[in-house]
Amino acid sequence: MQKREQLYAGKAKSVYLTDDPDYLILEFRDDTSAFDGEKVEKLARKGMVNNHFNAFIMGKLAAAGIPVHVERLLSDTQSVVKKLDMLPVECVVRNIAAGSLCRRLGVKEGIDLTPPTFELFLKNDALHDPMVNESLAETFGWATAAQLTRMKELTYQVNAVLKKLFADAGMLLVDYKLEFGVFKGEIVLGDEFSPDGCRLWDAETREKLDKDRFRQGLGGVVEAYEAVADRLGIKLPK
C-alpha cells in the first residue's frame, strides 16, 4: 500500500492518505506529551513499542468480536487502518480511582470502583477536554443517541476483555480512554490502545507502568512499556 500525503499530525501520531480511499497509514512517533502539550519529549523506541502494542491489543479485541480500525502492521512504526469519520467525544472507563477522578472528587487513589464508572469527554485541547454527558453530546451533534449507546456498549465489552488479559499477566487495568468513528455506517474503535492512553499498575506492588511515569517524572517510561509488552507476550524488535 502506497503512502501519500500527510493528512494529519497529532501530538504523538501522524496519519497519511493511501492509494485506497478507505484506508490510511497510522504512524507512531517517538514524541511524548502531557498536560495538553505543555510537557513534550522524544523517547527512543516509543513509537515502535506503541505501534506493536496497539496492533496486539486491537487484534485481541477483534477476536472478541469488537470492530476495530487496525488492519495490519505495515512496519515497526506504521499500521494500515480503516479511514473512520471520528466522533469528537472519547469514552473513559475507570476500574480503580486515579488521576483526574481523585482530583475532581477528592477520593483516595487506589479505591476499587464497583461497578466501573463510564464518562464522556469532549476532545478539545483548548478547553482541556471537558467532561460532558450524553445529553450534551446529542444536543450539540457530537454523536447520535444510537451512536452513544453503541459506544458505551463497546467500551464495556473492551473492559471485560482487557481486564482479564492484563490480570492474567499480573497487572491491573486502572482506567483507559477509547475513541470511536464511523466506517461505512458502523461504529468502530479507532485511535490507539497503548500505555499512553490507559493506566496500568503491577497487581502486587501497584507500580505504575504507563504514561504516568512521564507525567510524574518517574523515569523509565519506555522501559515500563516494554515490560508490559513482555508480560503480554508481545514480541518487540530488538
Side-chain angles (χ1 to χ4, degrees):
M1 182 169 287
Q2 295 295 315
K3 182 172 76 171
R4 299 176 63 186
E5 65 267 25
Q6 182 173 282
L7 179 65
Y8 171 78
K11 291 189 284 284
K13 299 186 294 294
S14 299
V15 179
Y16 296 88
L17 297 171
T18 72
D19 47 11
D20 187 328
D22 286 335
Y23 294 91
L24 302 168
I25 291 173
L26 181 64
E27 181 177 62
F28 289 76
R29 308 192 311 270
D30 288 339
D31 299 287
T32 308
S33 68
F35 313 122
D36 294 327
E38 292 180 11
K39 181 178 181 180
V40 179
E41 288 183 27
K42 281 187 179 290
L43 300 175
R45 290 176 57 83
K46 176 177 169 285
M48 176 276 292
V49 172
N50 278 0
N51 184 42
H52 283 268
F53 195 105
N54 182 58
F56 176 85
I57 294 294
M58 291 287 181
K60 292 291 186 182
L61 296 176
I66 296 166
V68 303
H69 73 143
V70 174
E71 289 289 301
R72 59 184 171 87
L73 285 171
L74 186 63
S75 70
D76 281 345
T77 59
Q78 298 177 338
S79 291
V80 177
V81 300
K82 297 180 179 74
K83 185 179 181 181
L84 308 185
D85 181 11
M86 298 301 293
L87 299 171
V89 289
E90 61 187 26
C91 302
V92 172
V93 160
R94 303 179 191 272
N95 296 304
I96 298 172
S100 63
L101 183 71
C102 297
R103 295 191 297 273
R104 190 178 352 126
L105 300 181
V107 298
K108 185 178 179 181
E109 181 180 84
I111 297 172
D112 288 337
L113 302 174
T114 306
T117 66
F118 175 87
E119 298 167 327
L120 286 174
F121 293 85
L122 178 65
K123 294 188 290 185
N124 187 314
D125 283 348
L127 298 177
H128 305 291
D129 296 340
M131 187 177 178
V132 296
N133 58 35
E134 294 176 36
S135 176
L136 287 169
E138 188 177 356
T139 294
F140 286 103
W142 301 327
T144 67
Q147 288 171 337
L148 291 164
T149 297
R150 181 60 172 156
M151 290 162 65
K152 188 173 185 177
E153 176 187 38
L154 289 173
T155 299
Y156 277 122
Q157 287 179 19
V158 168
N159 202 43
V161 173
L162 295 188
K163 270 186 72 175
K164 183 179 187 307
L165 179 71
F166 287 111
D168 289 346
M171 292 175 282
L172 300 172
L173 179 57
V174 176
D175 58 35
Y176 59 90
K177 70 176 182 67
L178 299 179
E179 298 186 20
F180 293 90
V182 179
F183 183 75
K184 299 186 177 180
E186 180 184 24
I187 293 291
V188 174
L189 178 60
D191 195 45
E192 68 175 294
F193 194 103
S194 77
D196 269 8
C198 68
R199 284 188 173 89
L200 295 167
W201 294 350
D202 179 90
E204 292 188 7
T205 67
R206 299 217 162 186
E207 177 188 6
K208 295 174 180 179
L209 304 170
D210 54 73
K211 194 175 173 181
D212 272 350
R213 300 196 67 84
F214 178 71
R215 295 186 188 97
Q216 299 173 14
L218 300 176
V221 178
V222 175
E223 291 82 357
Y225 289 18
E226 290 175 324
V228 173
D230 184 63
R231 291 193 194 193
L232 294 174
I234 303 172
K235 304 300 182 184
L236 297 174
K238 298 299 183 182

